Amino acid sequence: GEDSIKAGSISLIIGFILIILFMLYKYKFLGIIANLSLIINLLLLLGVLTFLEATLTLPGIAGIILTVGMAVDANVLIYERIKEEFKTEKSFIHAFDTGYKRAQSAVFDANITTLISAMILFFLGSGPVKGFAITLGVGILSTLFSVYLFGRHLTSIYVMKNKDRKIIKKYLNQM
């Protein structure tokens, strides 16, 4: 049991580092924003789990790992949509805003269906399955918060401060 939890924790840390490096490589500055959102997501998740006095078990670690994957998926969907919008929009601000809005339904659909699954697991499962469901459910809610409130706010600040600079155009062409 304890060896499995230790191995799961190490897997989470290694996966987290690899995700951070990938997001930095693929999305440059937006990757920094995505990584900050991911860190906020994990801090919120761990904070809520601590508040609930949840014990970290192997299924709980699996829930955290799945949450990290869902958060990265949300950011990738949003940034790819921004890249598509940039090809047709002349305004950087409008491309970012439209990209976030158009990715929203896919992100919400994926997260809400996973949240429904977590609720079913919680109500029908027992023991470790309930722990997984709680971790996953809290993780989904923290993901939506961190991506759409925290990440979007940071992205908006960046775009507004650099709206007239060629750096955004160069950056988006590199993505």
Side-chain angles (χ1 to χ4, degrees), residues 10 12 14 28 51 54 56 74 79-82 86 89 93 102 115 123 132 136 138 145 160 165 170:
I10 291 170
L12 175 64
I14 291 171
K28 316 293 187 260
F51 179 76
L56 194 59
Y79 296 156
E80 289 299 317
R81 190 63 196 193
I82 288 171
F86 180 68
E89 295 292 334
I93 296 170
R102 291 199 174 155
L115 184 60
F123 288 114
F132 173 77
L136 182 59
V138 171
F145 173 82
M160 292 303 288
R165 296 187 188 168
K170 180 182 174 187

Side-chain angles (χ1 to χ4, degrees), residues 66 70 73 77 104-121 132-133 136-137 140-141 144:
L66 186 54
M70 299 273 307
D73 180 56
L77 285 170
Q104 187 172 0
S105 66
V107 171
F108 275 121
D109 288 350
N111 283 281
I112 296 302
T113 54
T114 304
L115 184 60
I116 291 168
S117 298
M119 289 170 41
I120 292 169
L121 286 172
F132 173 77
L136 182 59
I140 293 300
L141 296 174
L144 291 173

